[in-house]
């Protein structure tokens, strides 16, 4: 367990706080305060999977050109799931 904590600390220390990481951190803090656990966990899972698949790229066998990167695909699927969860939450609260 200490290995995971050390890796998390190392990643946090290497984050460029001038970029989008600060925005994501603020959103995660707001979700924790509002106790939106499913949204929080889905965002964290999307970020972790995207970072883990950072070097994976799907290329064309015929032309050797990059078609799509796997992290981009993960972020798109995760973002779509977050939007769907937000819409479901909104419509449940409106009823």
């Amino acid at each position: 367990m200490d290995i995971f904590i050390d890796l998390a600390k190392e990643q946090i220390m290497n984050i460029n706080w001038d970029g989008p990481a600060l925005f994501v951190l603020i959103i995660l803090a707001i979700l924790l305060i509002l106790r939106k656990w499913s949204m929080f966990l889905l965002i964290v899972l999307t970020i972790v999977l995207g970072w883990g698949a950072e070097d994976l790229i799907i290329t064309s066998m015929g032309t050797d050109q990059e078609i799509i990167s796997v992290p981009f695909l993960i972020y798109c699927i995760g973002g779509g799931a977050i939007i769907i969860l937000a819409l479901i939450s909104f419509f449940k609260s409106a009823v």
Side-chain angles (χ1 to χ4, degrees):
M1 188 68 177
D2 291 334
I3 295 171
F4 294 118
I5 293 172
D6 291 339
L7 287 174
K9 285 180 186 177
E10 183 181 331
Q11 287 293 331
I12 289 171
M13 297 306 254
N14 292 331
I15 291 175
N16 179 8
W17 295 105
D18 295 331
L22 182 62
F23 175 73
V24 171
L25 185 64
I26 291 170
I27 295 297
L28 289 175
I30 290 170
L31 288 173
L32 282 176
I33 292 169
L34 295 175
R35 296 184 180 197
K36 300 288 185 178
W37 304 114
S38 61
M39 295 281 284
F40 173 80
L41 291 175
L42 186 60
I43 290 172
V44 169
L45 178 67
T46 302
I47 291 169
V48 168
L49 288 175
W51 273 349
E54 199 170 83
D55 297 328
L56 301 174
I57 297 173
I58 299 172
T59 57
S60 172
M61 294 293 280
T63 61
D64 287 334
Q65 292 181 343
E66 180 180 325
I67 296 174
I68 189 167
S69 66
V70 175
F72 178 72
L73 186 63
I74 291 171
Y75 290 137
C76 288
I77 292 170
I82 292 166
I83 290 171
I84 290 170
L85 274 177
L87 287 174
I88 290 171
S89 175
F90 174 74
F91 288 126
K92 280 186 177 180
S93 66
V95 174

